[in-house]
Amino acid sequence: MSGGFELLEAVRAALLAHAPLTQLLGGAHVYEEVPRGAPSSFIEFAGLETRDWSTADQAAHEHVLTLAVRTNSRSRKLAQQLADAAEAVLDGAALSVAGHRLVNLSVVFRAVARGPSSPGFGASLRLRAATEPL
């Protein structure tokens, strides 16, 4: 078991527990799958890649997680604020990942841009995590 799904759950819980972020989102709008009729601002899990990162005597996995921030705002400001808040919560966080030990978690890439199919701005954050099974 790689711990990828458990990592997603821990990241989602950490984002939802951060009051400034949920206030900017207008509620608990962090989704694995975006529901129909979702609000104008939300964060979704856009991708998860998992690679074997084991050593000779220890099983481990490296995960690359992509978060997509979506807004309907015609200004970069809200997308930037949401990306800032998400990075503040996650970069270097010591999350509890069920059945695994989180070795590290860091934001390795971030971009703010206008959405390809909407007039609003959004952001993309890429995180790298390493986990070891307990």
Side-chain angles (χ1 to χ4, degrees):
M1 180 155 52
S2 71
F5 181 75
E6 293 80 1
L7 175 64
L8 292 179
E9 288 182 326
V11 166
R12 184 172 189 273
L15 291 171
L16 291 174
H18 189 66
L21 177 64
T22 56
Q23 184 176 4
L24 283 170
L25 289 170
H29 307 300
V30 179
Y31 305 113
E32 182 178 348
E33 182 175 337
V34 180
R36 290 181 191 212
S40 62
S41 296
F42 59 87
I43 296 175
E44 70 175 313
F45 292 98
L48 175 65
E49 298 175 34
T50 299
R51 295 176 186 87
D52 183 48
W53 193 55
S54 300
T55 62
D57 60 347
Q58 176 66 49
H61 291 89
E62 175 186 50
H63 310 275
V64 177
L65 170 62
T66 304
L67 299 177
V69 175
R70 305 284 185 239
T71 77
N72 283 341
S73 175
R74 292 182 167 278
S75 166
R76 293 178 191 272
K77 184 176 181 179
L78 179 58
Q80 186 69 50
Q81 289 173 321
L82 288 165
D84 288 345
E87 184 170 354
V89 171
L90 298 172
D91 194 45
L95 304 180
S96 177
V97 179
H100 296 81
R101 182 177 81 82
L102 180 62
V103 176
N104 59 43
L105 176 64
S106 60
V107 175
V108 295
F109 172 83
R110 182 172 129 167
V112 176
R114 189 177 306 279
S117 61
S118 75
F121 278 85
S124 179
L125 288 95
R126 193 167 307 127
L127 298 95
R128 182 207 173 266
T131 59
E132 297 173 340
L134 295 178

